[in-house]
Amino acid sequence: MTTMMQEFKQSIIVSIWFVFLTFPLVVVRVNTMNNVVEWRWMNMVWIAAGSFVLSYLWRYMLARKLVQKKVEEAGGDTRGKLQILLEDESFRYKAMGVLLIVALIYPQVFDTYQTTIMISALIYVVLGLGLNINVGLAGMLDLGYVAFFGIGAYTFAIINHHFDVSFWLMLPVGGLVGCLFGIILGFPILRLRGDYLAIVTLGFGMIFKVVMENWTALSFGPSGIANIDKPGLFGLDMNLASHTNYIYYIMIAMVVFTIIVTNRLKNSRIGRAWIALREDEIACVAMGIDMARTKLSAYALGAFWAGMVGVLFASKTTFINPASFTFMESAIILSIVVLGGMGSILGVILGAFILILLPEYMRAFSEYRMLAFGAAMVLMMIFRPQGIISGLRQKYEYKGLKGQSNDG
Amino acid sequence: MADKKHKLLEVKGLTMDFGGLRAVDSVSLEIHEGEIAALIGPNGAGKTTFFNCVTGIYNPTKGDVLLHPKGLKTRRLNGLKPNKVTEMGLARTFQNIRLFQEMTVLENVMIGRHCRTKSGIFRSIIRDKSVREEERQIVETSYRLLEKVGLEDFANEFSKNLPYGAQRRLEIARAMATDPFLLLLDEPAAGMNPQETDELVHLIRKISSEDKIAILLIEHDMKLVMNISDPIYVMEYGKKIAEGTPQQIKDNPKVIEAYLGDDDDA
Ligand SMILES: Nc1ncnc2c1ncn2[C@@H]1O[C@H](COP(=O)(O)OP(=O)(O)OP(=O)(O)O)[C@@H](O)[C@H]1O
Ligand SMILES: [Mg+2]
């Protein structure tokens, strides 16, 4: 209680300081037209209130973090209420059921514009889940992930342009081509770690874009490829609205598929090897795990999802050019994984919705988007470095020898 | 002294240079079936480096590391990757504990089973019957090992939350999950209180007699070493300066000097 009083006092002092410092700037103004001094007292009130609230919040969060750390050091339980709820399996199934129903009726309730926004959020969900394999599970930073997304999109666009192969056939092909490039690009980075890995993967992303911009014979350069086929449904003719809904449902199916597969992988022999590699490379190889193979498999599988959803992206927009695959995209996908919680499937989904939908609905602030992005990331790193939801691990019971699935 | 016991590990003239520093200087030793051998020596003598050379973490500058698994042909370990060495049946623990912190205690042990199981990516996604059966066996084997080291109650805790002594025992369980016939323990008793050390002695004996695993351990706790190991090898400044039974080592003037000379900074 006394500490709270103290923080209250501290915050008041901070706000007085701020008022004092900003007083000449925001309160006093000399109106040169009429030669009078204007006193804008209202500004002072705003500054005082604002700095007080922010300072108090900051202190409160720091204090809370300190308390949590103490509890943790004493071996206590630091899980938040949400985390505890999520570890309850029946709750998780119920929640998933409700979410799925909401997702299915969504386009019936909302208009085409809303559905389109939702589709792009879902695309980022799949991208986030894919990158989560590299970054969250296997612990390999990848700043050029968008290249695999682009490879999937261009594979479909080019083959569709020349040979008129349909979306459904190309969907798995796009994934596999992504996989293939994942393995090819995976080899040179096997021995890299940390900063070097970040720089080299960043380079891959850049190289992809530059190649697509300049290899005109293949990619038609910066002007891109237009008139890509939309996904067909038994040759049915569809208007724009129903087509959007159709793509939306394909996207939902893809998200469900991704969740099931990544969740299974995460709690398999392979997934455990990935996490072990992330935790301690030397111990991991000393326990008999083949590092090269494990890293390549993580890279290939991460790239698979990007390649596959790339095909859908090309098909949805019917037009692609290199401008869609900038470093910015890689950064957003990475932020989704970090913000949501590395290794946590539910966290990544939440992260994608927050980072894609919020800016969409706050168009008014779109100019400050990058600013808010940066601030959010810095605050996240300070107060909740594990992300919104930290990765849960499977719990096993020996009695009856059944592994009980228990993760997000 | 040992009469016709099967030789499991044979190290001949092992040398490891770090730039100008010779951390291990032509060390030779042999581990036989059923032995609990110890490698002792003052700080910086090169014991851990010796382990790292044998287990493939470092590639030795000179010398041979030969493994003679029972009933199989001899394998030269030099230049093999650590995971290959582990597959050959030689497992280890680390002096500075290297557990997978964000994994549960049980999962840490399950990682040890990786090289003895084989479900790949596709089968793990489909999760067919044989995969589920394999998973069940991994869990069962790992759980048994946790029982052996007395950590079964913590199976679903994160390993980083375990007390120090328990973390060391977990490292032993994890190494044993790889089905080794030779176990290298790097200072297993470091940081343990006397009671925990007693339990550890008991555990090491049990591993040796019940599981028929030969053991080579590095340890600074002389009481423990003299109590359980025979033979004992002594290193100083990278060189092997003595070997023999506990009694021989205790009486060896070179060893006494090495330890007394080191006493002022101990
Ligand atoms: N990777 C390395 N690069 C350079 N020098 C090293 C490396 N590893 C060990 N050394 C050096 O080799 C020597 C032997 O170190 P080592 O860790 O093997 O000693 P140790 O006998 O295990 O000692 P301790 O009892 O303190 O664990 C030391 O001088 C150490 O500084
Ligand atoms: Mg050492």
Side-chain angles (χ1 to χ4, degrees):
Chain A
M1 267 295 103
T2 49
T3 54
M4 254 174 75
M5 264 326 278
Q6 246 175 3
E7 268 155 31
F8 194 78
K9 272 187 205 152
Q10 284 282 332
S11 303
I12 288 192
I13 293 172
V14 165
S15 89
I16 290 172
W17 246 117
F18 259 82
V19 168
F20 176 72
L21 286 176
T22 54
F23 189 83
L25 277 173
V26 298
V27 179
V28 191
R29 185 164 71 179
V30 182
N31 192 328
T32 42
M33 294 296 228
N34 311 334
N35 274 340
V36 288
V37 175
E38 287 176 10
W39 299 90
R40 295 172 298 172
W41 296 112
M42 217 38 218
N43 282 358
M44 192 175 96
V45 175
W46 281 121
I47 296 263
S51 56
F52 173 78
V53 168
L54 284 179
S55 153
Y56 192 78
L57 212 66
W58 175 264
R59 274 155 210 288
Y60 170 77
M61 298 284 276
L62 272 182
R64 219 180 82 148
K65 202 184 155 191
L66 213 65
V67 169
Q68 272 197 351
K69 210 170 163 188
K70 276 205 188 114
V71 174
E72 195 166 340
E73 267 163 17
D77 197 347
T78 53
R79 298 171 302 169
K81 290 198 183 69
L82 182 66
Q83 200 93 32
I84 292 172
L85 208 56
L86 286 172
E87 282 178 29
D88 175 11
E89 202 171 350
S90 70
F91 170 79
R92 262 188 315 151
Y93 281 125
K94 275 181 213 148
M96 273 191 274
V98 171
L99 275 183
L100 193 63
I101 290 169
V102 170
L104 287 178
I105 58 176
Y106 185 88
Q108 255 59 46
V109 178
F110 294 97
D111 59 20
T112 307
Y113 170 70
Q114 304 291 345
T115 310
T116 312
I117 290 175
M118 203 43 126
I119 291 172
S120 63
L122 291 173
I123 286 178
Y124 279 92
V125 168
V126 174
L127 286 171
L129 289 172
L131 185 63
N132 188 35
I133 293 179
N134 289 359
V135 178
L137 296 181
M140 297 184 295
L141 189 59
D142 187 350
L143 292 179
Y145 189 66
V146 78
F148 301 123
F149 183 49
I151 283 168
Y154 265 99
T155 303
F156 176 54
I158 292 166
I159 293 184
N160 182 266
H161 181 84
H162 292 296
F163 308 105
D164 219 24
V165 183
S166 80
F167 166 80
W168 286 107
L169 209 68
M170 286 307 291
L171 193 61
V173 174
L176 291 178
V177 172
C179 237
L180 188 74
F181 274 88
I183 294 171
I184 293 171
L185 298 185
F187 270 108
I189 60 163
L190 278 177
R191 295 157 158 274
L192 301 180
R193 233 180 298 170
D195 309 352
Y196 303 102
L197 185 61
I199 291 168
V200 173
T201 52
L202 180 70
F204 285 161
M206 301 289 184
I207 290 168
F208 171 77
K209 190 162 168 269
V210 171
V211 168
M212 287 302 122
E213 271 166 1
N214 294 292
W215 192 357
T216 331
L218 180 78
S219 66
F220 302 95
S223 54
I225 301 175
N227 288 326
I228 305 167
D229 281 348
K230 280 185 175 287
L233 180 66
F234 307 116
L236 238 65
D237 256 347
M238 281 186 272
N239 60 17
L240 185 68
S242 55
H243 222 125
T244 307
N245 287 356
Y246 179 50
I247 292 177
Y248 174 85
Y249 285 118
I250 295 175
M251 225 26 247
I252 290 284
M254 211 180 258
V255 167
V256 171
F257 179 57
T258 317
I259 292 174
I260 291 173
V261 171
T262 47
N263 188 39
R264 284 192 164 188
L265 278 173
K266 192 175 142 189
N267 291 310
S268 71
R269 175 174 170 268
I270 305 293
R272 283 193 299 270
W274 288 338
I275 299 171
L277 198 68
R278 174 191 79 190
E279 292 297 309
D280 191 323
E281 231 167 69
I282 292 184
C284 186
V285 291
M287 289 308 122
I289 289 172
D290 188 330
M291 188 172 73
R293 206 187 239 199
T294 309
K295 277 191 176 175
L296 283 182
S297 67
Y299 227 75
L301 265 159
F304 176 82
W305 302 109
M308 200 171 78
V309 83
V311 173
L312 186 123
F313 174 76
S315 181
K316 173 201 150 210
T317 54
T318 69
F319 166 74
I320 57 167
N321 68 356
S324 309
F325 310 105
T326 55
F327 169 67
M328 192 53 216
E329 301 301 310
S330 291
I332 290 178
I333 304 165
L334 187 65
S335 310
I336 286 172
V337 177
V338 174
L339 181 83
M342 301 228 254
S344 158
I345 291 175
L346 190 63
V348 170
I349 296 171
L350 272 179
F353 281 132
I354 292 173
L355 285 188
I356 304 303
L357 294 186
L358 269 191
E360 210 57 67
Y361 289 115
M362 305 220 289
R363 282 259 174 232
F365 302 103
S366 64
E367 280 175 35
Y368 302 106
R369 188 171 155 163
M370 286 319 289
L371 201 66
F373 229 68
M377 282 295 151
V378 171
L379 290 178
M380 206 67 192
M381 287 303 108
I382 294 174
F383 295 115
R384 227 185 136 75
Q386 73 272 39
I388 300 172
I389 296 174
S390 55
L392 305 172
R393 289 310 304 156
Q394 178 153 349
K395 292 204 166 76
Y396 298 87
E397 266 180 47
Y398 186 55
K399 296 251 161 51
L401 293 174
K402 272 196 197 118
Q404 283 200 342
S405 170
N406 207 356
D407 62 296
Chain B
M1 50 198 141
D3 42 297
K4 281 295 150 207
K5 268 193 295 182
H6 181 80
K7 197 196 298 168
L8 292 176
L9 176 75
E10 186 179 8
V11 180
K12 291 196 282 197
L14 191 78
T15 301
M16 181 76 213
D17 291 342
F18 293 114
L21 176 81
R22 181 152 289 189
V24 177
D25 192 351
S26 52
V27 172
S28 304
L29 60 75
E30 290 173 2
I31 309 289
H32 299 89
E33 199 185 353
E35 274 180 359
I36 301 178
L39 181 60
I40 63 172
N43 291 113
K47 306 176 299 289
T48 300
T49 308
F50 176 83
F51 266 28
N52 284 341
C53 290
V54 171
T55 54
I57 308 261
Y58 296 149
N59 197 357
T61 316
K62 252 192 285 186
D64 276 320
V65 182
L66 301 170
L67 203 60
H68 308 283
K70 254 192 145 175
L72 292 168
K73 67 173 200 291
T74 297
R75 286 294 305 258
R76 190 162 176 271
L77 298 185
N78 303 46
L80 283 188
K81 290 217 179 97
N83 56 305
K84 288 291 167 206
V85 174
T86 307
E87 267 176 44
M88 308 261 90
L90 203 159
R92 70 171 292 178
T93 66
F94 294 91
Q95 175 176 358
N96 46 341
I97 300 173
R98 284 180 168 272
L99 287 170
F100 308 121
Q101 301 209 340
E102 297 281 334
M103 297 177 89
T104 66
V105 169
L106 188 72
E107 280 180 318
N108 266 272
V109 186
M110 289 166 82
I111 285 293
R113 295 303 299 158
H114 188 95
C115 61
R116 304 293 173 216
T117 46
K118 51 184 189 300
S119 342
I121 294 171
F122 290 106
R123 304 251 315 284
S124 295
I125 294 171
I126 299 163
R127 209 175 259 185
D128 58 43
K129 209 165 159 219
S130 64
V131 173
R132 276 174 302 180
E133 173 60 20
E134 191 180 85
E135 278 286 298
R136 194 191 64 76
Q137 278 175 3
I138 294 174
V139 173
E140 185 178 340
T141 318
S142 308
Y143 205 93
R144 291 258 156 81
L145 282 167
L146 282 185
E147 282 177 341
K148 174 158 256 150
V149 301
L151 290 176
E152 71 275 17
D153 291 341
F154 304 104
N156 288 317
E157 299 280 337
F158 276 127
S159 68
K160 64 177 176 189
N161 294 337
L162 287 183
Y164 207 65
Q167 295 199 4
R168 292 225 174 265
R169 276 180 289 150
L170 178 55
E171 275 224 342
I172 296 178
R174 185 179 67 176
M176 283 180 65
T178 64
D179 284 345
F181 58 79
L182 174 60
L183 193 55
L184 307 184
L185 306 176
D186 198 344
E187 304 201 14
M192 285 189 173
N193 62 34
Q195 195 211 331
E196 284 176 318
T197 309
D198 283 347
E199 284 168 12
L200 179 75
V201 167
H202 187 69
L203 174 64
I204 292 176
R205 286 229 166 89
K206 206 159 72 172
I207 293 170
S208 170
S209 59
E210 280 179 16
D211 301 288
K212 309 279 179 244
I213 297 175
I215 291 165
L216 171 62
L217 55 90
I218 295 175
E219 193 43 73
H220 284 295
D221 182 339
M222 281 307 137
K223 200 169 132 256
L224 182 149
V225 171
M226 296 298 164
N227 184 0
I228 60 171
S229 35
D230 183 13
I232 298 172
Y233 300 90
V234 188
M235 281 178 76
E236 192 193 16
Y237 297 120
K239 290 199 179 71
K240 186 176 77 176
I241 58 166
E243 66 176 286
T245 62
Q247 198 53 50
Q248 287 168 337
I249 295 297
K250 263 187 226 166
D251 299 338
N252 190 318
K254 271 194 195 165
V255 178
I256 295 169
E257 198 194 329
Y259 272 88
L260 286 182
D262 202 53
D263 232 22
D264 43 24
D265 59 19

